[in-house]
């Protein structure tokens, strides 16, 4: 899956070398999508899709995933998700477009351009677009928090092993 996404992104880069990138804002009823429209601050990680493709991704999301807006617009809206997260993310986006209310958050994994896996919590809201409903997805990167939690868990495991008189294996040079 990562290979297919990388190939699609490479093709998009070549195809867009002579094309203008898509506009940074998406037209919605009554104006354009802005941070105020989507209820997110300027540092929020935001993407908008129409059920098929991404139509807007702010600079924070582009930095997080490592792809340009032009590259993201050419692949399905769920192409950034890991293989294990792809179907839940696809279904989550479809549900958002069908329902009128905000959806509960979903945890998933994203594959970045450099091949790293980022743990995300995404939230979805339906907004009105010029050609039908759009899904507004906000992302919270949980990767650093997960790393700290795993480190603390490992320290706790080692401390438990030491306290139970089962010392941690060590190698001593004399």
């Amino acid at each position: 899956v990562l290979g297919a996404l990388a190939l699609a992104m490479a093709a998009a880069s070549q195809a867009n070398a002579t094309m203008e990138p898509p506009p940074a804002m998406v037209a919605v009823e009554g104006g354009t999508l802005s941070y105020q429209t989507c209820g997110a601050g300027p540092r929020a990680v935001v993407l908008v899709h129409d059920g098929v493709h991404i139509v807007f991704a702010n600079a924070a999301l582009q930095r997080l995933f490592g792809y340009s807006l032009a590259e993201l617009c050419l692949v399905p809206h769920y192409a950034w998700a890991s293989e294990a997260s792809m179907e839940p993310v696809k279904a989550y986006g479809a549900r958002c477009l069908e329902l009128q209310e905000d959806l509960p958050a979903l945890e998933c994994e994203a594959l970045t351009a450099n091949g790293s896996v980022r743990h995300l919590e995404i939230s979805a809201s339906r907004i009105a677009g010029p050609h039908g409903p759009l899904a507004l997805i906000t992302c919270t990167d949980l990767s650093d928090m997960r790393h700290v939690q795993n480190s603390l868990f490992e320290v706790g495991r080692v401390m438990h092993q030491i306290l139970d008189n089962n010392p941690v294996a060590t190698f001593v040079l004399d």
Side-chain angles (χ1 to χ4, degrees):
V1 172
L2 181 58
L5 181 61
L7 287 174
M9 296 302 181
S13 292
Q14 290 175 348
N16 289 320
T18 58
M19 296 173 56
E20 283 187 37
M25 299 303 246
V26 175
V28 294
E29 291 178 14
T32 58
L33 177 66
S34 66
Y35 295 117
Q36 291 75 30
T37 305
C38 62
R43 296 185 191 260
V45 180
V46 175
L47 75 85
V48 177
H49 70 80
D50 60 6
V52 179
H53 291 97
I54 295 172
V55 296
F56 173 78
N58 70 353
L61 184 118
Q62 293 173 49
R63 281 190 305 274
L64 179 66
F65 289 172
Y67 295 110
S68 71
L69 178 59
E71 292 169 321
L72 290 168
C73 288
L74 293 176
V75 296
H77 69 88
Y78 51 86
W80 52 267
S82 70
E83 190 170 339
S85 296
M86 199 168 285
E87 280 304 315
V89 168
K90 182 179 179 180
Y92 189 72
R95 234 179 23 250
C96 175
L97 293 172
E98 294 169 3
L99 302 175
Q100 294 293 331
E101 67 268 1
D102 294 349
L103 296 178
L106 172 74
E107 283 195 33
C108 60
E109 294 178 342
L111 298 176
T112 65
N114 66 10
S116 65
V117 176
R118 306 298 293 182
H119 298 277
L120 302 178
E121 179 181 87
I122 61 174
S123 300
S125 298
R126 180 178 161 166
I127 59 173
H131 305 291
L134 298 171
L136 171 74
I137 310 292
T138 56
C139 307
T140 303
D141 189 358
L142 304 176
S143 301
D144 294 336
M145 184 174 66
R146 285 271 173 92
H147 176 71
V148 170
Q149 286 174 337
N150 289 339
S151 297
L152 289 172
F153 179 74
E154 184 62 25
V155 167
R157 187 191 65 75
V158 170
M159 293 300 293
H160 182 71
Q161 188 176 4
I162 291 170
L163 292 174
D164 285 346
N165 292 324
N166 294 323
V168 177
T170 57
F171 182 72
V172 179
L173 293 175
D174 189 19

